[in-house]
Amino acid sequence: MKIIILGTIAYSLYGFRADLIKALVKQQHTVYAFTSEYTQAELKKIEMLGAIPVTYRLSRGGLNPLSDIKITYHLSKVIENIAPDIVFSYFSKPVIFGTLAAKMAKVPQVVGMLEGLGYCFTDQPEGLSKKVKVIKAIQILLYKAVLPQIDTLIFLNADDPNDLLKKYNIRAKQVEILGGIGLSLSHYEYQPVVNIQKPIKFLFIGRLLKEKGIHDFISAIKIVKKTYPEAYFTILGEIDVSNLGALQRSELDELIASKIVNYPGQVDNVKDWIASHHVFVLPSYREGVPRSTQEAMAIGRAVITTDVPGCRETVVDSVNGFLVEKWNPQALAEKMIYFIEHPEQIEKMGIESYKIAQEKFDADKVNKRLLNMLGL
C-alpha cells in the first residue's frame, strides 16, 4: 500500500515517527513523508528510515484563508499524483488542510491525529486574549467542517475529545485514544539513580514558554532555595523570542548569573542529562502526552507534573511522583522539598516510573495499536 504521513517539522518525522515509519516499511508499504519545514540533511535522515520525503508549503502559525486555500489545492494535486491508499496527518493545521487536500484527491482512507489541542484551548491564569479567542473561534469552525470527514480521528489522551468534540458539538466518525506516541525503550534505557545525596538535582525540559510552566518553575525554585539553597536546578530548552509568554533572555541571564539555575541551552544528549538528575519536573498548563516526561520515566526518574490533560496520563500520584495544581508554584515547591527531605523516595518512585513507561510508552506496543487504528 501507499501511505502518506503528513506533518510539518522534518524533525518530528525522523525524531518521533521513526519507529512507525520503520514498522510500515517492514510491512512492505511505500511511505511518503510530507514536511514543510526541513533542511537537506533532515530529508536525508527521513530517506534513511526507508521513506520518500516530499516537501510542501504550509505555515504552522497564523490563519491566512487565501494562502491556505492555494496551499490546500496544490497539496491535493501532489497527493493525487501519488494516489495513496491512506493519508495520515498529525498536528492541527496538517489535520485540517491535509484532510481537505486528501478528500479533494479522493483518497480512500483519511486518518488524523491531534497530539494535543494547542495554545488556543489551553487555560491561562489571566484568561485568553481577544486575538486568541478569535483564532480559537476560527479553528473550531474549521474543525466542525473537517473532522466529520476523517475516517479515524486519534487523540493521545481522554480529556481532549471531551474538551473539543463534546464541548463544541463536533461530529467524528470514529474516535480512538492512543495514549502517547511512545518511544524506543532500547534507546532510553533504565539507568539507576546514583549518588542520592545532597544536592538533589531537579530537571526541566521544554521550550521556555509560560504554558510549559517555566515561570511557575522559576518561582518554585526561589521558594525552595530559601530553605535549601544547595538544591540544584537545570533547565534545558530554547527561548522562543516570537512568543509573548516566553521567558526573556534578560531574566534567564539574571538567573544564571545568580546561580539559581544551570542552563546548558538546547542539547542533543537529553537522556544523559536526565540520567544525571534525580527528579524530572514539568509544570505545564496542558499537553497531549509530553514526550519529555515519557523519556524521564523510561530512564527511571520520579516526576512532578501538573494535574492537567496529558500530564496526568504520566503520573500516578504518590506512586511514581506527584500531581500538583496548575499555576501553583507553592505546591510545586512543596513537592520538590519533599524529595529533598525524603531522598529514599527518589529511587523507589523512579522504578515505578520505569514500570509505567514499559507498560504504556513502549513504541513497539504503541505502534501496534496505531497500525491497528490505521487498519494495517
Side-chain angles (χ1 to χ4, degrees):
M1 294 176 74
K2 292 180 182 178
I3 299 166
I4 289 176
I5 300 178
L6 199 150
T8 51
I9 309 166
Y11 175 76
S12 74
L13 284 159
Y14 67 81
F16 301 151
R17 301 279 171 264
D19 294 307
L20 174 63
I21 291 170
K22 287 176 185 175
L24 290 168
V25 170
K26 191 176 179 180
Q27 288 188 0
Q28 305 297 311
H29 300 297
T30 304
V31 180
Y32 296 84
F34 278 54
T35 173
S36 59
E37 297 179 35
Y38 56 89
T39 64
Q40 291 304 312
E42 288 176 322
L43 296 182
K44 199 69 184 172
K45 288 181 180 180
I46 292 170
E47 274 185 8
M48 290 171 68
L49 295 172
I52 300 165
V54 180
T55 61
Y56 75 105
R57 289 191 303 118
L58 182 71
S59 63
R60 267 190 298 152
L63 290 168
N64 183 329
L66 188 60
S67 173
D68 289 336
I69 289 167
K70 285 182 180 177
I71 287 167
T72 302
Y73 175 76
H74 289 303
L75 181 58
S76 73
K77 290 301 176 186
V78 176
I79 293 172
E80 193 174 34
N81 287 336
I82 293 171
D85 299 281
I86 301 173
V87 168
F88 169 50
S89 304
Y90 63 96
F91 295 157
S92 178
K93 286 194 80 171
V95 165
I96 292 169
F97 298 106
T99 295
L100 290 173
K103 285 296 180 181
M104 289 167 67
K106 295 182 169 55
V107 176
Q109 187 181 353
V110 181
V111 180
M113 181 161 71
L114 293 173
E115 298 186 14
L117 299 188
Y119 183 82
C120 291
F121 294 86
T122 301
D123 292 338
Q124 303 292 332
E126 67 286 353
L128 299 179
S129 68
K130 287 183 180 179
K131 180 182 176 182
V132 172
K133 284 179 180 177
V134 170
I135 294 170
K136 181 178 179 178
I138 295 169
Q139 204 169 347
I140 289 167
L141 285 174
L142 288 169
Y143 279 149
K144 284 190 172 185
V146 173
L147 298 189
Q149 301 182 53
I150 295 175
D151 296 298
T152 304
L153 179 59
I154 302 168
F155 294 92
L156 298 190
N157 66 66
D159 289 293
D160 286 354
N162 285 326
D163 293 346
L164 180 63
L165 305 181
K166 287 188 179 179
K167 187 172 182 179
Y168 299 102
N169 196 26
I170 300 172
R171 291 187 302 106
K173 291 178 185 175
Q174 182 177 342
V175 175
E176 300 281 357
I177 309 297
L178 184 62
I181 60 171
L183 64 160
S184 172
L185 296 182
S186 61
H187 181 70
Y188 293 93
E189 294 177 314
Y190 173 75
Q191 297 189 48
V193 182
V194 294
N195 297 325
I196 304 180
Q197 55 190 1
K198 293 178 181 178
I200 300 302
K201 297 181 177 180
F202 299 89
L203 176 66
F204 170 99
I205 302 173
R207 287 177 299 155
L208 309 189
L209 304 177
K210 182 179 70 172
E211 62 264 29
K212 291 291 181 183
I214 186 61
H215 299 300
D216 295 332
F217 183 56
I218 290 166
S219 296
I221 289 172
K222 291 175 180 177
I223 294 169
V224 173
K225 285 277 190 181
K226 287 177 183 176
T227 309
Y228 295 99
E230 76 282 3
Y232 190 86
F233 301 90
T234 298
I235 294 173
L236 299 182
E238 291 181 313
I239 288 179
D240 187 345
V241 291
S242 64
N243 191 296
L244 293 176
L247 185 70
Q248 297 299 305
R249 183 74 225 190
S250 57
E251 293 176 77
L252 184 58
D253 289 341
E254 188 179 324
L255 292 168
I256 295 166
S258 59
K259 297 185 177 179
I260 289 175
V261 300
N262 172 42
Y263 179 67
Q266 185 82 1
V267 301
D268 293 325
N269 59 333
V270 169
K271 62 180 182 178
D272 296 331
W273 284 91
I274 295 171
S276 67
H277 286 69
H278 299 111
V279 179
F280 179 75
V281 184
L282 183 67
S284 179
Y285 294 1
R286 186 180 194 119
E287 298 281 341
V289 174
R291 168 87 178 193
S292 57
T293 313
Q294 294 177 58
E295 293 171 357
M297 291 169 68
I299 289 170
R301 294 301 174 265
V303 174
I304 306 172
T305 192
T306 34
D307 189 7
V308 298
C311 292
R312 65 170 69 106
E313 306 292 320
T314 61
V315 168
V316 179
D317 194 48
S318 301
V319 174
N320 70 307
F322 296 105
L323 293 172
V324 299
E325 184 183 30
K326 65 182 177 183
W327 315 336
N328 191 333
Q330 181 64 44
L332 184 60
E334 286 170 5
K335 294 307 180 187
M336 289 197 284
I337 287 170
Y338 175 87
F339 281 116
I340 293 170
E341 294 178 347
H342 301 86
E344 73 283 355
Q345 291 296 317
I346 291 172
E347 184 175 20
K348 181 182 174 184
M349 290 193 180
I351 290 170
E352 294 302 320
S353 275
Y354 168 72
K355 289 177 183 176
I356 294 170
Q358 293 280 317
E359 180 188 338
K360 293 178 67 174
F361 304 132
D362 181 350
D364 290 337
K365 294 177 182 178
V366 171
N367 284 325
K368 281 176 184 174
R369 293 202 298 273
L370 185 52
L371 290 173
N372 189 49
M373 292 172 190
L374 293 169
L376 300 171

